[in-house]
Amino acid sequence: MDARTKILETATRLFATHGYDSTSLSLVAKDASVSKALIFWHFENKENLYEAVLARTIEPYRIEPERIADKSVPDQVEHLIDLYYGFITENVHSVRFFLSLFLRDDKRPDDFFTRVLDLYKHYRELVAGALRAGQQSGTLSAEIDAEAHAALILSSLNGILVQALTGEQDTASPERLVRELKASLVDRLRVQ
Amino acid sequence: MDARTKILETATRLFATHGYDSTSLSLVAKDASVSKALIFWHFENKENLYEAVLARTIEPYRIEPERIADKSVPDQVEHLIDLYYGFITENVHSVRFFLSLFLRDDKRPDDFFTRVLDLYKHYRELVAGALRAGQQSGTLSAEIDAEAHAALILSSLNGILVQALTGEQDTASPERLVRELKASLVDRLRVQ
DNA sequence: GTCTATATACAGATAGAC
DNA sequence: GTCTATCTGTATATAGAC
């Protein structure tokens, strides 16, 4: 692996765990086994390195349409829930990173910020759309407000994520909570 | 107000918004209109100041029993939800602070960490207990697992909190989401 | 208790040899 | 491209006057 990539990988790990300010370039250099000067040669300054790290981190953040619209309408909502949960599971570290960015007054370039938010909104609209489709086909209760309910489903998923991230080891596992979520927020809406 | 308190208040605000490392004592001194040396005279060093800030911040974190058991059983769950939401609303800044602490590899003394976790667990047990009471008195469906369902309710509340903290301004307000939560995770369980 | 002045360490960043 | 040596600013922390 070339030095540039080595620096990038090391910096990604360190920024994610300690944040921007608490990560010194001396430490990055040491952990990547290069000199501090080399970091500047490749990335010019600390902020540039950080932006490169963010760009690298956000790369897998996208919605893959082919994964979505291939299920019968009532199950589509649960399928979307599984996709969301699967994505989070595969990207725990960067998800934790972005979440902590949202909570801090830290360095957070707006373009990345809004890109994550847009993805989130888009996903919520997909869930809302699936709920509406279920209502129109008569398989889901017409009583609920699809938009608000979709927002609740996503919020609950985020809450489960937070619970998993903060590492509370007791009783309810994330998987158990997701099952409970599906049972309460989807299955219970099915028209018999 | 005496200088010690002024320092403590200023430091609380700054640590909460910028974190431990990004808050310099020079800034605290300037914002509190005292000399840097005075901070050291009162708190010895930066870590001590930080611990004092944490102790001050966690002070209102407690469960008040008199607020809890004064409702009819089926409404008790919704009452607990309101209490949780109310607490969060009143303490947004410190809640945000603690949440970001949980997500970072930052300075986080374990005693504070576990105290917050214990409170959370205790609260979840209160919700589970209320659910069980409802099931025993026949007002709530016996089908659900009270522990898992209580965990889901708390997770959802945390998710709503995160949504509010990350400041997504569109469509669903936190209040709207809490209403939706009550409708889906409590009302829908009522036995007619 | 509160200040100014200072010591010491380490941060981000540059110069210049190879 | 990669290094060592160095500059400059600012951080935590101390000394000592009042």
Side-chain angles (χ1 to χ4, degrees):
Chain A
M1 180 174 24
D2 63 329
R4 204 195 123 96
T5 315
K6 188 74 190 296
I7 292 167
L8 216 40
E9 282 192 1
T10 309
T12 301
R13 180 172 53 78
L14 291 174
F15 280 139
T17 44
H18 308 300
Y20 181 80
D21 293 289
S22 314
T23 301
S24 77
L25 296 184
S26 316
L27 180 61
V28 174
K30 212 184 84 191
D31 277 23
S33 312
V34 297
S35 70
K36 229 181 355 177
L38 191 62
I39 299 178
F40 285 94
W41 191 89
H42 278 296
F43 299 95
E44 195 161 22
N45 57 39
K46 190 178 179 182
E47 269 202 49
N48 270 236
L49 171 61
Y50 187 63
E51 301 237 342
V53 162
L54 282 180
R56 215 179 94 97
T57 304
I58 212 176
E59 197 269 324
Y61 281 60
R62 63 188 112 74
I63 288 170
E64 286 150 30
E66 71 272 16
R67 288 200 181 181
I68 290 176
D70 58 14
K71 292 267 173 172
S72 66
V73 171
D75 295 329
Q76 241 183 37
V77 182
E78 305 207 0
H79 181 57
L80 285 169
I81 289 172
D82 288 332
L83 280 181
Y84 193 85
Y85 183 72
F87 175 81
I88 281 172
T89 312
E90 276 168 35
N91 298 278
V92 228
H93 296 299
S94 67
V95 168
R96 175 197 284 261
F97 180 35
F98 277 113
L99 186 55
S100 76
L101 276 191
F102 276 85
L103 293 175
R104 279 274 173 83
D105 237 15
D106 230 348
K107 280 256 163 310
R108 57 171 187 207
D110 272 348
D111 30 333
F112 294 105
F113 199 71
T114 53
R115 180 163 157 205
V116 174
L117 268 186
D118 283 350
L119 259 167
Y120 181 75
K121 281 185 201 172
H122 185 182
Y123 210 86
R124 199 181 54 203
E125 275 156 27
L126 284 175
V127 174
L131 287 173
R132 268 196 307 271
Q135 290 179 315
Q136 272 158 21
S137 69
T139 46
L140 289 179
S141 161
E143 279 176 29
I144 57 146
D145 173 345
E147 266 69 32
H149 201 75
L152 177 62
I153 288 174
L154 272 275
S155 284
S156 301
L157 279 167
N158 290 338
I160 293 169
L161 161 70
V162 168
Q163 176 129 337
L165 287 181
T166 54
E168 237 205 310
Q169 314 290 18
D170 71 331
T171 51
S173 69
E175 291 79 18
R176 180 82 185 80
L177 286 172
V178 171
R179 253 192 296 140
E180 189 71 27
L181 185 158
K182 287 183 190 170
S184 293
L185 296 183
V186 186
D187 294 340
R188 219 166 263 276
L189 296 179
R190 287 180 201 271
V191 175
Q192 323 302 333
Chain B
M1 180 173 26
D2 63 328
R4 204 195 123 96
T5 314
K6 188 75 193 294
I7 293 167
L8 216 41
E9 279 192 2
T10 309
T12 301
R13 181 172 53 79
L14 292 174
F15 280 138
T17 44
H18 309 301
Y20 181 79
D21 292 289
S22 314
T23 301
S24 76
L25 296 184
S26 315
L27 180 59
V28 175
K30 210 183 86 192
D31 277 23
S33 312
V34 297
S35 71
K36 237 184 339 183
L38 191 63
I39 299 179
F40 285 94
W41 191 88
H42 278 296
F43 298 96
E44 193 161 26
N45 57 39
K46 190 179 178 180
E47 269 203 51
N48 270 237
L49 171 63
Y50 187 62
E51 300 236 344
V53 162
L54 282 181
R56 216 180 94 97
T57 304
I58 213 177
E59 196 270 324
Y61 281 59
R62 63 188 112 76
I63 289 170
E64 287 150 28
E66 70 273 17
R67 287 201 180 182
I68 290 177
D70 58 15
K71 291 265 174 177
S72 65
V73 170
D75 295 328
Q76 241 183 37
V77 181
E78 304 207 0
H79 181 55
L80 285 169
I81 290 172
D82 287 332
L83 279 181
Y84 193 85
Y85 183 72
F87 175 81
I88 281 171
T89 312
E90 278 169 34
N91 298 277
V92 229
H93 296 299
S94 67
V95 168
R96 175 196 285 260
F97 180 36
F98 278 113
L99 186 55
S100 76
L101 276 190
F102 275 86
L103 294 175
R104 279 273 174 84
D105 237 14
D106 229 347
K107 283 256 164 310
R108 56 168 187 208
D110 272 348
D111 30 334
F112 294 106
F113 200 71
T114 52
R115 179 162 160 207
V116 174
L117 269 186
D118 284 350
L119 258 168
Y120 181 74
K121 282 186 200 171
H122 185 181
Y123 210 86
R124 199 181 53 204
E125 275 156 27
L126 284 176
V127 174
L131 287 173
R132 270 196 305 271
Q135 290 179 315
Q136 272 158 20
S137 69
T139 45
L140 289 179
S141 162
E143 279 175 28
I144 57 147
D145 173 344
E147 265 70 32
H149 201 74
L152 177 63
I153 289 174
L154 270 276
S155 284
S156 301
L157 279 167
N158 290 339
I160 293 170
L161 162 71
V162 167
Q163 177 129 336
L165 287 181
T166 54
E168 236 204 309
Q169 314 291 18
D170 71 330
T171 50
S173 70
E175 290 79 17
R176 179 83 185 80
L177 287 173
V178 171
R179 253 191 297 140
E180 190 71 26
L181 185 159
K182 287 184 190 170
S184 293
L185 296 184
V186 186
D187 293 341
R188 219 166 263 276
L189 297 179
R190 289 180 200 269
V191 175
Q192 323 303 330

